[in-house]
Amino acid sequence: MVNHVHRCYFTAGHSRRTGHYNVQRSRPGEKPPYQRCSSQDSLDELALDDYWKELAIIQHTGDTEPQEEVQLKVADEGEQEEAWLTEAGLATLFDESAADGEDSMVLLSTLTRTQAAAVEKRVETLKQTLRKRNKSYSVPDVRDIFKPPASQDTKDDESASSGGSDNTKKETVSSGEHSEAEPCGGGAETETDINLEVSFSEQALLSYKDGSKVTQPVNEADDKLPDFKVVRDKTGMTKVGDLAAADMKKVRRLVLIEMTALFDTAGIDLKTHKPLKIKVKESGLFGVPLSTVLEQDQKRVPGSRVPLIMQRLISHIEEEGLHTEGLLRVPGASTRVKAVCQELEQKFYDGLFSWETLKQHDAASLLKLFIRELPHPLLTVEYFSAFVSVLKFPTKKQQLQALNLLVLLLPESSRDTLKALLEFLQRVIDHKEQNKMTLNNVAVVMAPNIFMFKGFRSKFSEQQEFAMATGMANIVRLLIRYQNLLWTIPKFVMNQVRKQNTENQKKMNRDRAVKKLLKKMAYDRDKNSDKTEKNTETEGGFIRVQAPQFSKVSMAVQLTEELQASDILARFLSQDSSVSVKREDLCLYEIGGNIKERCLDEETYMKALLELNPSAEWVIKSVQR
């Protein structure tokens, strides 16, 4: 059913009747029947009028240029498992010649029981498939992959998955950019508490064992959506972009395994799709692959992470004023939008386009056009069905946990572009008193532009059409409302990364040749090095903070229970007047030890973090945005 519904949604062959967007009705002129779905929020029929009107606008506007139709392909059984294991960094489980074999073993040693079960399931399915095909791959028995751990190892694994629960506080995450921190009351966890320290799939497993795998009633109104509180650890929150590439690679592999484990635990069948190769435009702005647009932009503005055309359209809309009534809902004139689109293609990069003549509603229409005409969806073909299936989870908390993992799985270009779009949409909603665009309104209008992208064709029944409309609108609503949570890397994942780095470092030390020579070198080096000084300072309640990028090379900072990263940055700026960098462009980095490099959340408590990573060095640098 999951795959069927997923295939059914990809369509653009519609016709317009009675002011609504309909598809080959059995009774002409009727809207699809309104039904409440127990597995998802249901938007009222009046709100969905905007959805059908938006679809009609999309059809009427038509394509800017013809494009080859994209076809989805579900990998054959066996192929899907091979692809999953490879992406998870576990290719050695079916191909002994694959690279990163030793890293795979370290990765396996850090998995929780639900994550291990997800791996075992894929290995067993692959083994059975290959056996049917008489293939000669040497796939290990699942019982040989994870051996029962010793009692101490079990404790270590539990620690890695939970990360400890001391010294935490809760951060309220609501719509918009703002969050309010409050002390943890130490009471029982509630449905609105988001615990980032324990594996999401482990949490789901425990809740199902308690008999709570029942869809909870949910409120439809925007102001009735719950304000989720994030359990915040003193060692700091880690956001996307805070980590070095090597650690982010580990994060992505762990998140893939965790996401799969969460879907498995909930009993949600998930089939990933892959797009067949199609001919796409190799240059331009609209209907061009996101990666191609960014390559063009980076030649002009190095380091660009969000398409320049999208940034400029958003900037223009905000300059003209977010108070415009019906912003995003009221379309620009289709002929004028098409003409402006062609003019932008010719003049944008040369800086010759006359932005002062661009009307507000036209700019909003162009922004939506850019998103939906991407040859492949912003949410990617690979994980599109997973996004569609999120509402099958029985609770809002689990839906948000699934969305959190899926956002982390997106390619960097898609993730950054989606973030910029959602932040803009929230700013539109912040002006709802003037523009009359509430969270529901914006979600309903944007859903077809995000989920109905250029090139997909199919047919579906009236009931499926309506289910898709309500489902997609509600997913967009969750993405907008809880965006501050979705770009956070859960602490249990970070603990697993730290454990992998620790194990890899131990192995490097064990495998060094000429051990005696290296011991002597280490002794001679440590005897007179800064490391001895650093350790002495740490034992005396001090840490040494380096700032080689600036004139102040280093400074000693006394540790206290309440010392935060923000305090160190403030002290640095007060002591070095020659620093011309803005405070918001500076970051204190944790480097080495059990992490490669991490930009610290300013609310990180330094003493608590030092206990977690005693071998780290502390460096102040400019943030690479």
Side-chain angles (χ1 to χ4, degrees), residues 79 82 126-139:
E79 289 181 359
E82 284 187 19
L126 176 58
K127 185 175 182 178
Q128 293 175 3
T129 302
L130 296 177
R131 192 176 291 160
K132 290 177 185 177
R133 299 177 184 173
N134 295 318
K135 296 284 186 179
S136 59
Y137 281 113
S138 176
V139 180

Side-chain angles (χ1 to χ4, degrees), residues 530-544 557-559 607 610 614 618:
D530 289 337
K531 185 174 181 180
T532 301
E533 180 185 357
K534 178 171 74 75
N535 289 340
T536 302
E537 289 178 339
T538 300
E539 291 173 1
F542 288 84
I543 59 172
R544 182 157 293 278
V557 178
Q558 185 173 11
L559 291 171
K607 191 170 183 179
L610 186 64
W618 315 99

Side-chain angles (χ1 to χ4, degrees), residues 511-529:
D511 292 346
R512 283 175 178 166
V514 200
K515 291 183 179 179
K516 290 183 180 180
L517 176 60
L518 289 178
K519 283 182 180 179
K520 184 178 183 304
M521 291 171 61
Y523 174 79
D524 292 341
R525 181 177 64 250
D526 290 344
K527 187 169 60 174
N528 299 311
S529 68

Side-chain angles (χ1 to χ4, degrees), residues 280-306:
V280 296
K281 290 172 60 179
E282 297 181 356
S283 63
L285 301 175
F286 297 88
V288 180
L290 189 57
S291 58
T292 301
V293 175
L294 287 171
E295 285 175 7
Q296 295 172 168
D297 292 349
Q298 288 164 1
K299 292 177 182 177
R300 296 163 174 83
V301 182
S304 297
R305 302 175 65 175
V306 176

